[in-house]
Amino acid sequence: MGAGVGNARGLQECAQSRQFLMAIGALRTLRKAGRRVPEDVAVVGFDDIEATAYTAPALTSVRGPVADQAIATVHLLLGLIEGGPGEPVVIPHELVVREST
């Protein structure tokens, strides 16, 4: 999981996961620890698969164009193989806000 942000009381406010299953685990672990999502901790996943809308609470997620990511990765790798500099690529993503934030 990613880094959290502390508030004035020193409580963890945010948990971010790059994988849906890790975010689901975070929701479960937080619930078992008595932490309320999103009241105590906001949780955000990355990949926005369909199941994120059906978690409890529904998981806020970052949605990115998978096909564009794959194409950019292939172009980057081909450029590196050919001795290129490996230019950075920025692919727009969308934050899909649900109940976990």
Side-chain angles (χ1 to χ4, degrees):
M1 275 201 294
V5 178
N7 65 18
R9 296 175 301 183
L11 296 176
Q12 189 80 359
E13 291 182 330
C14 173
Q16 173 268 332
S17 173
R18 295 198 184 274
Q19 293 183 346
F20 169 71
L21 292 177
M22 288 182 69
I24 295 297
L27 290 174
R28 183 175 181 199
T29 300
L30 289 165
R31 188 177 311 116
K32 282 185 172 183
R35 303 296 297 274
R36 299 169 302 155
V37 176
E39 293 85 354
D40 299 330
V41 181
V43 178
V44 179
F46 190 93
D47 61 13
D48 195 44
I49 64 173
E50 185 177 337
T52 57
Y54 302 105
T55 60
L59 184 64
T60 294
S61 188
V62 177
R63 177 186 299 154
V66 175
D68 291 348
Q69 293 173 20
I71 290 168
T73 301
V74 169
H75 286 293
L76 179 62
L77 288 173
L78 290 173
L80 291 171
I81 290 169
E82 295 171 358
E87 296 293 324
V89 178
V90 177
I91 300 173
H93 283 65
E94 173 187 3
L95 180 64
V96 181
V97 178
R98 296 192 180 95
E99 298 169 345
S100 68
T101 56

